[in-house]
Amino acid sequence: MEIIKAFCIAFSIYSKVPVPQFKWNEKDMRYHLIFFPFVGALTGGLLILWNYICCVCDIGKITYICIGTAIPLAVTGGFHVDGFMDTMDALKSYKSKEDKLEIMKDAHIGAFSVIMLVSWGLVYIGAYSSLTSSFMRGQYLGIFACIFFLSRVLSALAVLSFKKAKDEGMLNTFSDSAASRKGFVKSVLLIELFVCSGFMIVQNVYLGCIVIAASLLYLWYYYCKTKKEFGGITGDTAGYFVTCLEIILTVVIAVYGLVI
């Protein structure tokens, strides 16, 4: 029952999928990060299903792109995009660490967050549009679907491993809830990482290795960037990480398909 509750808590926090609601307590929450990547698995699965529907029904390119790019937002309700925008506001302020943390707490959005969201969104739409050809769909769709799982596995590992910028907040609550079983939770997340990586390599050994390498490089960049700018990670930077990594990996897959 504890595992079922942890699964439901994960989906109630990180997605808009309707699940049974439970009162949150430390015992039930300590395993919930294990199930965080499965929100990404659902997103990837829906994108594969949407691709199949488009192929069978011969749906047009514009409809394919618009709905395909909207599916991740529909699943999560923009949960990670909110963190991305708050983080961008803070980064573009060029103020002290303390001021940046205060900016991220502000419920209002600034001009820079909107500009960066539109810019990154256009890049993502452009990269996703390259997946419309039958060749790209057949060769790389499986790997593309995996990036939503991969980004969340790495984000969860970062939550458990990286220094926190603050001693309070939702991120600390999530991390502290897993403290009593941190070793077990990290082990399961590493297994999920290896399984996901293995699946991508089986799909295409070269692209799979490139995607994994790009993910780990960006994880290192994220660690260095957040440590320099904020003194550690926060709940908002976690959303920033997931959003940016998914866009970056979509671009990597698109460029690989065009070059190869």
Side-chain angles (χ1 to χ4, degrees):
M1 189 64 180
E2 187 177 337
I3 296 298
I4 295 174
K5 286 185 177 180
F7 176 87
C8 292
I9 289 171
F11 271 75
S12 67
I13 296 172
Y14 303 113
S15 80
K16 301 300 288 184
V17 177
V19 293
Q21 298 297 309
F22 299 98
K23 183 179 179 180
W24 294 3
N25 59 62
E26 186 172 322
K27 181 180 178 182
D28 293 334
M29 288 185 66
R30 59 185 176 178
Y31 298 117
H32 88 281
L33 284 174
I34 292 174
F35 299 104
F36 175 36
F38 288 87
V39 176
L42 174 62
T43 302
L46 289 174
L47 285 167
I48 291 175
L49 176 62
W50 172 239
N51 177 79
Y52 175 77
I53 292 172
C54 289
C55 290
V56 171
C57 301
D58 194 27
I59 292 175
K61 182 175 180 178
I62 293 178
T63 304
Y64 171 78
I65 295 169
C66 290
I67 295 181
T69 53
I71 285 174
L73 288 174
V75 172
T76 65
F79 182 81
H80 305 295
V81 176
D82 176 67
F84 169 85
M85 295 182 74
D86 288 339
T87 303
M88 281 300 180
D89 265 339
L91 288 174
K92 296 300 180 181
S93 71
Y94 301 103
K95 294 185 177 181
S96 67
K97 292 179 182 179
E98 293 74 19
D99 288 338
K100 289 174 183 174
L101 291 173
E102 287 300 316
I103 289 171
M104 284 196 289
K105 289 170 60 177
D106 191 342
H108 301 89
I109 61 172
F112 282 113
S113 66
V114 177
I115 292 169
M116 296 307 297
L117 179 64
V118 172
S119 300
W120 280 74
L122 290 173
V123 171
Y124 177 67
I125 292 170
Y128 183 78
S129 68
S130 70
L131 300 175
T132 55
S133 70
S134 59
F135 174 75
M136 289 288 281
R137 287 178 179 178
Q139 292 292 314
Y140 309 128
L141 184 63
I143 294 178
F144 173 69
C146 283
I147 69 175
F148 300 92
F149 185 92
L150 178 61
S151 65
R152 286 162 176 78
V153 171
L154 294 177
S155 178
L157 286 170
V159 168
L160 296 176
S161 305
F162 292 177
K163 182 179 182 296
K164 312 301 186 295
K166 301 182 293 184
D167 295 327
E168 57 184 12
M170 186 176 289
L171 189 75
N172 289 80
T173 301
F174 295 161
S175 179
D176 292 344
S177 67
S180 62
R181 300 304 304 274
K182 182 179 287 189
F184 174 76
V185 173
K186 288 178 73 172
S187 297
V188 175
L189 288 170
L190 286 171
I191 292 171
E192 293 175 352
L193 175 61
F194 290 136
V195 170
C196 180
S197 300
F199 178 80
M200 290 191 294
I201 290 172
V202 168
Q203 292 287 302
N204 185 301
V205 62
Y206 298 112
L207 180 56
C209 289
I210 290 171
V211 167
I212 295 166
S215 301
L216 295 177
L217 282 173
Y218 188 73
L219 181 65
W220 174 250
Y221 169 82
Y222 170 68
Y223 169 77
C224 295
K225 184 71 172 178
T226 52
K227 184 178 180 181
K228 176 184 176 182
E229 300 287 348
F230 309 113
I233 64 173
T234 69
D236 285 324
T237 66
Y240 162 85
F241 172 80
V242 170
T243 302
C244 291
L245 183 58
E246 289 173 358
I247 295 172
I248 289 168
L249 295 183
T250 304
V251 172
V252 168
I253 295 170
V255 171
Y256 182 89
L258 293 173
V259 172
I260 302 301

